[in-house]
Amino acid sequence: MDPTDLKNVIRIQAMVRTVTAAKHMKKKVHRHVFRTKIAHELKSTEQSFVSDLITCIEEYETPLRALIKKEKLDVIFSNISELIKVHKTLAAEFEQRISKNEWNYHASIGDVILPVIDQFAVYETYINNYNQATIMLKDQRENSVVSKLLDSKVSEVKRVRGLSLESYLIMPIQRLPRILLLIRELIKYTPKSHVDAIHLEAAYAKLTALTQALNYSKKLNENVHKTLALEKEISGLQLGFLTAHQFTHEGALEVLKEKKAGVLDRTVKKDSSAKSIVQKKTVYVFLFNNFLLYAKKLSASQKAIAKLGPGKAVYKFSSPTVIKLLATDKAVATQSTCMFFFHYY
C-alpha cells in the first residue's frame, strides 16, 4: 500500500474512533445526568416524607390527645412513629450518599436501599389498619370541637400547607409505590456494567415482593373485618361461619322461577311468549369464593319485633339459603331450577 494511502486510512480510523468515543461519552453523560436527577428526587422526597409525618404527629395527633381517647387515637394514627424511625434512617443514608462530595458516576445507591427494605415490614400494621383509621376519623369528626380543630389546622397553620389530616394519613400508603417507581427509573439509566446495577435489581425485586405481600395481607385483613361485620349484620348465622371464606361481592339478586300455567298467585306474572308463568323474587345476596348466601333485608319494624336493636342485624338469614358453587362457577339449587341475574351497585 502506498504510504500516503496508509496515512489516510490511519487518519480515518482515528476519526471513527474519536466519533465513536464521543457518542459513547455522550450516552454515558446522559445516563449519569438522569441517574443524578432521580437520586436527588429520592433524597428530597424522603426528606419531605419524614417532615410530613412529623408534622402530622405534632400538628394533629398532639392537640387531639385532649379531645379523643387514647385507644381511638391509636387507631387513627396507628404506628406512624415506627414509620418515622425507619424513614429517618433512610433519609440520613440518602443525604450522606447523594451529597456533593460522595455522588459521582461510579456511586451506588441500591446498596443503601436494599438493607432498609426489611424494616419496611412495619408497613403491614399501618396498611392493614388504614381503613379502620379512616372510619374512626370520620366518626370523630362528628364531634364539632374535633372538626373545628382539624379545619383550623388546614386554614391557619402554615406548616400544614393546607393539607387535611386525611391527606397526611394516606401518605404512607403512597410512599412504597413511589420508591419502587424511582428504583425502576434508576435501573433504566444504569448500565449493566455499573456497580450499582446488581444492587438496584435486587432492591427492586425485594421491594416488589414486599409490596405484593403487603397487598395480600391487606386483602386478608379486610376480608376478616368484612366477614365479622356481616356476622353482626345477618341474624341467624352461626358465629365464625363466614370468617373462613373469602368475601367477593354483595348486592341485589333477582330470582326467576318458572311455573306451570294456571297456577294463581298475585306475585306471578304470565309470560306472553311462552306457555308458562314466571315468578320473580328479589333478595339480597353475599357472594363468597365457594358459596352464595342470600337473605332478606329487615325493616325497622321487623328489627323491633325481633328485639335486635338499631345498628345491629340488618338482614335475616334462614335455611336453606346457601348455594354451593362448583368448579364450573355455576350455582346449583337442589329444590328447583332457577335463573340468577346479578345487579351490581
Side-chain angles (χ1 to χ4, degrees):
M1 180 181 290
D2 186 89
T4 304
D5 292 338
L6 180 60
K7 287 181 180 179
N8 289 334
V9 170
I10 293 173
R11 189 180 300 111
I12 292 171
Q13 288 176 337
M15 291 174 62
V16 169
R17 285 194 296 269
T18 301
V19 171
T20 302
K23 287 182 178 179
H24 177 73
M25 179 58 67
K26 184 178 179 180
K27 188 175 182 180
K28 186 176 180 179
V29 170
H30 174 78
R31 284 177 168 176
H32 179 60
V33 167
F34 276 91
R35 265 178 54 82
T36 301
K37 182 179 178 181
I38 297 165
H40 279 286
E41 185 175 354
L42 258 175
K43 182 180 77 169
S44 63
T45 56
E46 191 67 17
Q47 291 171 339
S48 297
F49 180 63
V50 171
S51 176
D52 284 336
L53 293 190
I54 292 173
T55 298
C56 179
I57 295 298
E58 294 179 352
E59 296 295 339
Y60 282 110
E61 183 185 24
T62 301
L64 285 174
R65 288 173 187 168
L67 303 175
I68 301 175
K69 291 182 179 180
K70 183 182 182 302
E71 56 268 25
K72 293 181 179 179
L73 273 182
D74 289 343
V75 173
I76 294 173
F77 293 93
S78 190
N79 62 332
I80 280 186
S81 58
E82 292 182 22
L83 300 184
I84 291 174
K85 185 178 179 180
V86 171
H87 284 278
K88 266 188 173 180
T89 301
L90 185 57
E93 292 284 351
F94 282 160
E95 177 64 31
Q96 182 178 353
R97 183 61 61 88
I98 309 173
S99 66
K100 290 182 178 179
N101 295 330
E102 293 289 332
W103 187 255
N104 54 54
Y105 178 81
H106 301 287
S108 176
I109 191 68
D111 61 328
V112 171
I113 302 170
L114 192 57
V116 181
I117 294 176
D118 287 332
Q119 298 178 48
F120 286 161
V122 297
Y123 269 91
E124 183 174 8
T125 299
Y126 190 89
I127 292 172
N128 287 349
N129 178 74
Y130 178 72
N131 286 347
Q132 299 303 310
T134 56
I135 292 170
M136 179 64 74
L137 178 56
K138 184 178 179 181
D139 180 61
Q140 293 306 305
R141 274 189 177 274
E142 296 296 321
N143 183 321
S144 59
V145 179
V146 171
S147 182
K148 185 178 180 180
L149 185 146
L150 295 177
D151 291 341
S152 68
K153 291 291 182 180
V154 174
S155 59
E156 299 172 11
V157 182
K158 186 177 180 180
R159 180 188 183 189
V160 172
R161 302 186 349 263
L163 298 176
S164 65
L165 177 53
E166 288 84 352
S167 297
Y168 280 98
L169 293 179
I170 200 173
M171 287 179 182
I173 303 297
Q174 300 167 331
R175 186 55 191 162
L176 293 189
R178 180 74 179 276
I179 293 175
L180 194 61
L181 176 64
L182 291 173
I183 294 175
R184 190 177 68 184
E185 287 299 299
L186 276 171
I187 292 172
K188 181 179 177 181
Y189 293 103
T190 302
K192 294 292 183 182
S193 58
H194 196 288
V195 66
D196 201 21
I198 189 170
H199 299 308
L200 290 172
E201 293 284 358
Y204 184 78
K206 192 172 184 178
L207 187 53
T208 298
L210 176 63
T211 54
Q212 289 174 346
L214 290 174
N215 288 336
Y216 181 67
S217 175
K218 181 175 183 290
K219 288 180 180 179
L220 291 179
N221 186 69
E222 288 175 347
N223 184 70
V224 169
H225 282 288
K226 179 63 178 180
T227 52
L228 287 174
L230 286 177
E231 287 183 351
K232 292 180 181 179
E233 292 179 353
I234 306 173
S235 68
L237 274 179
Q238 182 182 352
L239 187 64
F241 175 70
L242 297 179
T243 52
H245 305 282
Q246 182 65 47
F247 172 79
T248 302
H249 192 79
E250 64 179 285
L253 173 69
E254 285 188 358
V255 181
L256 303 181
K257 183 177 179 181
E258 194 171 341
K259 280 190 167 187
K260 292 181 180 180
V263 178
L264 297 177
D265 193 301
R266 272 190 258 177
T267 63
V268 175
K269 293 182 179 180
K270 190 168 182 179
D271 188 345
S272 59
S273 63
K275 294 180 179 180
S276 61
I277 297 173
V278 177
Q279 183 179 19
K280 182 178 178 180
K281 182 181 180 182
T282 301
V283 295
Y284 201 82
V285 299
F286 303 90
L287 182 62
F288 289 79
N289 60 313
N290 56 352
F291 69 89
L292 179 71
L293 181 151
Y294 65 90
K296 294 180 180 179
K297 195 165 186 177
L298 296 175
S299 65
S301 60
Q302 288 174 322
K303 290 175 69 176
I305 293 171
K307 297 181 180 179
L308 296 172
K312 293 184 179 179
V314 180
Y315 306 96
K316 174 65 177 177
F317 172 81
S318 57
S319 183
T321 51
V322 174
I323 301 175
K324 293 182 180 179
L325 300 180
L326 300 179
T328 55
D329 291 330
K330 291 182 178 179
V332 176
T334 56
Q335 294 183 344
S336 60
T337 302
C338 301
M339 294 181 290
F340 296 123
F341 296 86
F342 281 102
H343 292 257
Y344 293 95
Y345 298 97

